[in-house]
Amino acid sequence: MMLKPVWIYLENGVFLEAKSFGFEGSKTGEIVFNTSMSGYQEIMSDPSYAGQFVVFTMPEIGIVGCNENDMESSTIYASGMLVRSLNETPSNFRSHETLPEFLKEYKSMGICDIDTRYLTKMIRDSGPKMMIASTEVSDLATLKAMLEKSPRIEDVNYIEKVSTPKSYLHVNGVWNPEAQTYNATPKRIGKKILAVDLGIKRNILNELCEVGLDVEVVPHDFSADDVIARYKKGDIHGLFLSNGPGDPLILKNEAAEISKLIEAKVPIFAICLGHQLLSIAHGYPTYKLKFGQHGGNHPVKNMKNNVVEITTQNHNYNVPDTICKVARITHVNLFDNTIEGLEYHDSPIFSVQHHPEASSGPHESKYIFQEFANRL
């Protein structure tokens, strides 16, 4: 496979040339790094990466190819991926297509033959940067001008782009390796929840179904009044707030609707962006981390039992420590001591920042889904 050149310009003035193996053209986005050793397809199809370029610290990418079953959503919302070394020939019986074919199919950029260690250290030291990558434009000044005219990630409401336009039922459980398919008949416990799609991952829905819940997925612009009415009638037993991309402070309408749910004491469980929106709805705005947490090897301490869980993370924003005025901290990130889980005082509401549904792993936090089902 002949790889075409691609030119990269970052807002701090860094200008690089590498090779392109995905979508050809020009794209802008925020550059972040991910430390996972596996699961590149799940990462790229995670809607939470909308508007971002992902630098993979794992140097060899493409080894297991790609397949339809490992998608976390219907497409790729990430601007692209940057890897040190591309493996064009996958070695995996589940592979249906190569990584370059996968990226081209979903119009996402692939960049290789680049020093990912340098980029990771740069992001670690000075934070994520807006960047532009192009297979068409090689002139630094032109790329700089194009980037300056592009919106920044904190100025875009990506939820409108990634959320479902209409409600639907989700019925599949978790992946069954023996049958090589998702469990189509998980147990039922007679409790129904609404899952608000802010950029929800398929494996979150699978885990909710696997613990026996009936799951109805609803758009981001849901009506709190309708939810409260259904809850009071007994039509639903609780609500889930999903992960998603972008700056949570942009989502003023969603936060306002969540505030109504809090006041009505609707049982709520939330992950990642949903966790952040709960904080905002309680009156405690989020802040941006220096370089975020993205990877599948992050230690989190469960403050209830002092057990350390290895978790998957994907967030640039965090809830403030002042949230302790209205909530109890249940989980803490051992990398930077930031808040990873909360239970709100005198309220049937709890949330986590990390991803207990992790696919392809780790799975040490999966118990949280059962905990949600038990509380309803």
Side-chain angles (χ1 to χ4, degrees), residues 112-129:
C112 64
D113 293 354
I114 192 168
D115 190 344
T116 51
R117 183 185 294 269
Y118 163 74
L119 291 172
T120 299
K121 291 171 70 175
M122 181 194 71
I123 298 166
R124 179 199 65 188
D125 294 341
S126 59
K129 299 283 181 286

Side-chain angles (χ1 to χ4, degrees), residues 142-197:
T142 304
L143 289 171
K144 180 180 179 181
M146 292 169 66
L147 181 60
E148 289 174 347
K149 292 178 182 178
S150 300
R152 301 185 64 83
I153 193 166
E154 58 266 25
D155 298 327
V156 181
N157 187 337
Y158 285 103
I159 306 304
E160 297 174 343
K161 302 176 185 294
V162 303
S163 180
T164 180
K166 59 183 180 179
S167 300
Y168 65 93
L169 298 178
H170 185 88
V171 296
N172 286 339
V174 299
W175 179 258
N176 184 332
E178 293 183 3
Q180 285 297 300
T181 187
Y182 287 95
N183 183 6
T185 56
K187 62 182 179 182
R188 303 262 67 85
I189 62 172
K191 302 236 175 130
K192 183 175 184 178
I193 66 160
L194 298 182
V196 180
D197 181 5

Side-chain angles (χ1 to χ4, degrees), residues 54-321:
V54 184
V55 177
F56 285 82
T57 59
M58 171 65 175
E60 301 289 333
I61 298 291
I63 302 169
V64 296
C66 301
N67 70 81
E68 186 178 307
N69 288 320
D70 286 345
M71 292 292 287
E72 286 286 6
S73 65
S74 61
T75 188
I76 298 178
Y77 293 101
S79 298
M81 63 192 302
L82 295 90
V83 306
R84 178 67 187 92
S85 178
L86 167 68
N87 281 263
E88 298 180 48
T89 305
S91 177
N92 178 11
F93 75 97
R94 296 181 64 233
S95 177
H96 294 164
E97 60 184 346
T98 66
L99 179 55
E101 290 170 339
F102 170 67
L103 293 178
K104 289 176 181 178
E105 178 182 355
Y106 294 108
K107 296 181 172 55
S108 185
M109 299 191 80
I111 299 169
C112 64
D113 293 354
I114 192 168
D115 190 344
T116 51
R117 183 185 294 269
Y118 163 74
L119 291 172
T120 299
K121 291 171 70 175
M122 181 194 71
I123 298 166
R124 179 199 65 188
D125 294 341
S126 59
K129 299 283 181 286
M130 291 299 295
M131 65 163 272
I132 183 170
S134 178
T135 59
E136 305 166 325
V137 180
S138 60
D139 179 66
L140 186 155
T142 304
L143 289 171
K144 180 180 179 181
M146 292 169 66
L147 181 60
E148 289 174 347
K149 292 178 182 178
S150 300
R152 301 185 64 83
I153 193 166
E154 58 266 25
D155 298 327
V156 181
N157 187 337
Y158 285 103
I159 306 304
E160 297 174 343
K161 302 176 185 294
V162 303
S163 180
T164 180
K166 59 183 180 179
S167 300
Y168 65 93
L169 298 178
H170 185 88
V171 296
N172 286 339
V174 299
W175 179 258
N176 184 332
E178 293 183 3
Q180 285 297 300
T181 187
Y182 287 95
N183 183 6
T185 56
K187 62 182 179 182
R188 303 262 67 85
I189 62 172
K191 302 236 175 130
K192 183 175 184 178
I193 66 160
L194 298 182
V196 180
D197 181 5
L198 305 169
I200 200 163
K201 295 171 65 178
R202 182 167 68 176
N203 270 295
I204 287 178
L205 296 174
N206 293 344
E207 293 289 353
L208 290 169
C209 284
E210 190 68 20
V211 295
L213 298 173
D214 295 312
V215 180
E216 179 183 338
V217 185
V218 298
H220 71 99
D221 55 351
F222 70 97
S223 165
D225 291 337
D226 290 346
V227 172
I228 293 168
R230 293 182 67 178
Y231 175 65
K232 288 182 176 179
K233 283 168 46 181
D235 179 41
I236 61 170
H237 298 82
L239 182 117
F240 172 76
L241 296 172
S242 83
N243 62 295
D247 188 340
L249 292 176
I250 289 179
L251 307 178
K252 300 186 185 304
N253 292 336
E254 288 80 0
E257 294 301 297
I258 293 168
S259 294
K260 296 179 184 178
L261 300 178
I262 293 169
E263 185 176 350
K265 294 191 178 296
V266 175
I268 300 174
F269 168 45
I271 290 174
C272 203
L273 178 60
H275 164 82
Q276 297 160 10
L277 281 171
L278 278 173
S279 176
I280 294 169
H282 276 90
Y284 296 86
T286 52
Y287 65 95
K288 191 167 187 176
L289 295 166
K290 181 178 180 181
F291 52 80
Q293 303 282 13
H294 311 274
N297 45 14
H298 292 233
V300 165
K301 185 176 181 179
N302 185 323
M303 304 303 289
K304 294 180 179 180
N305 56 20
N306 290 325
V307 171
V308 176
E309 305 163 14
I310 303 302
T311 69
T312 288
Q313 307 265 340
N314 179 23
H315 61 283
N316 278 346
Y317 301 88
N318 215 73
V319 305
D321 291 340

Side-chain angles (χ1 to χ4, degrees), residues 6 27 36-37 159 197 269 293 372:
V6 56
K27 286 201 175 190
S36 294
M37 298 294 286
I159 306 304
D197 181 5
F269 168 45
Q293 303 282 13
F372 178 43

Side-chain angles (χ1 to χ4, degrees), residues 321-334:
D321 291 340
T322 50
I323 194 72
C324 291
K325 295 178 182 178
V326 296
R328 176 169 72 100
I329 297 175
T330 58
H331 298 79
V332 173
N333 190 304
L334 296 183

